[in-house]
């Protein structure tokens, strides 16, 4: 009789552990979803500000067109092309705002000071949002690699989390003018 009780206690402990692990994995997946939504919001904000800047008439037509097309492509990119489109927007921002004089021209335009401040905030928040997302992905991957999770299929049908890799280096002229 005591053997049956010990087996029942052991099964109960294993069940509690599996339930706790599945709940932890579910919370990690929810954290990934929230971080991805925040990242998407920051990327959309950056693209919108870049598009607004491109149509403000402060750049020469070629620079405006490059920036507008990159921002437009980033806003409309599907999931499988999103990383490339966002990297191209980062490169376009660096190319268009390569010189500090460009930032001064924007600041001198009507409403330019607020636009530069918004762009500075956006290009600072994108790397942070991406880092939070990728940290959540890394944590979920670590849990999903455990044998117990794989053997008992505790992840269910949730897709394997993928990190968001992109070029998010801000233009140096914006970072130097952030405090100006």
């Amino acid at each position: 009789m005591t053997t049956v009780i010990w087996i029942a206690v052991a099964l109960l402990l294993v069940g509690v552990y599996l339930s706790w692990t599945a709940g932890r994995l579910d919370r990690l997946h929810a954290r990934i979803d929230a971080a991805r939504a925040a990242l998407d919001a920051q990327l959309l904000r950056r693209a919108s500000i870049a598009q607004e800047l491109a149509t403000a008439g402060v750049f020469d037509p070629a620079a405006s067109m490059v920036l507008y097309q990159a921002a437009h492509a980033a806003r409309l990119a599907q999931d499988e092309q999103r990383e490339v489109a966002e990297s191209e927007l980062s490169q376009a921002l660096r190319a268009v705002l390569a010189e500090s004089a460009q930032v001064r021209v924007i600041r001198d335009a009507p409403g330019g000071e607020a636009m530069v401040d918004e762009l500075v905030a956006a290009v600072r928040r994108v790397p942070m949002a991406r880092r939070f997302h990728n940290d959540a992905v890394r944590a979920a991957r670590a849990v999903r690699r455990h044998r117990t999770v794989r053997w008992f299929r505790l992840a269910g049908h949730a897709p394997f989390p993928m990190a968001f890799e992109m070029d998010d280096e801000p233009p140096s002229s914006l970072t130097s003018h952030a405090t100006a």
Side-chain angles (χ1 to χ4, degrees):
M1 187 65 171
T2 57
T3 305
V4 172
I5 292 173
W6 284 112
I7 290 173
V9 168
L11 288 175
L12 179 67
L13 289 176
V14 168
V16 167
Y17 172 74
L18 291 176
S19 175
W20 176 81
T21 303
R24 179 175 176 220
L25 194 54
D26 185 52
R27 288 188 302 277
L28 285 171
H29 282 125
R31 186 173 140 204
I32 289 171
D33 291 342
R36 181 59 187 235
L39 176 61
D40 286 342
Q42 292 305 322
L43 291 172
L44 182 61
R45 181 172 182 242
R46 181 181 77 148
S48 297
I49 294 167
Q51 214 169 14
E52 184 179 334
L53 187 61
T55 59
V58 293
F59 298 122
D60 63 272
S64 292
M65 185 60 73
V66 166
L67 188 57
Y68 182 84
Q69 287 179 344
H72 185 69
R75 289 182 68 181
L76 298 179
Q78 300 298 321
D79 283 341
E80 59 273 356
Q81 298 297 321
R82 186 87 188 265
E83 293 172 351
V84 173
E86 294 295 344
S87 293
E88 288 173 355
L89 177 56
S90 295
Q91 293 165 2
L93 282 168
R94 283 196 306 272
V96 170
L97 300 172
E99 299 173 8
S100 296
Q102 288 291 79
V103 177
R104 280 193 297 277
V105 168
I106 299 167
R107 282 189 188 274
D108 293 341
E113 189 74 32
M115 194 176 298
V116 169
D117 291 343
E118 282 184 62
L119 186 59
V120 167
V123 299
R124 282 188 175 172
R125 288 181 180 146
V126 166
M128 286 189 297
R130 188 175 72 85
R131 195 172 313 118
F132 289 141
H133 176 267
N134 289 348
D135 287 346
V137 167
R138 200 172 3 268
R141 283 181 171 182
V143 172
R144 287 184 70 151
R145 282 192 194 108
H146 292 151
R147 284 187 203 130
T148 309
V149 172
R150 289 192 321 260
W151 288 346
F152 290 98
R153 299 178 188 201
L154 297 180
H157 296 290
F160 193 75
M162 300 301 290
F164 193 87
E165 298 299 333
M166 64 172 272
D167 173 7
D168 59 6
E169 182 181 336
S172 60
S173 61
L174 280 182
T175 56
S176 64
H177 280 82
T179 57

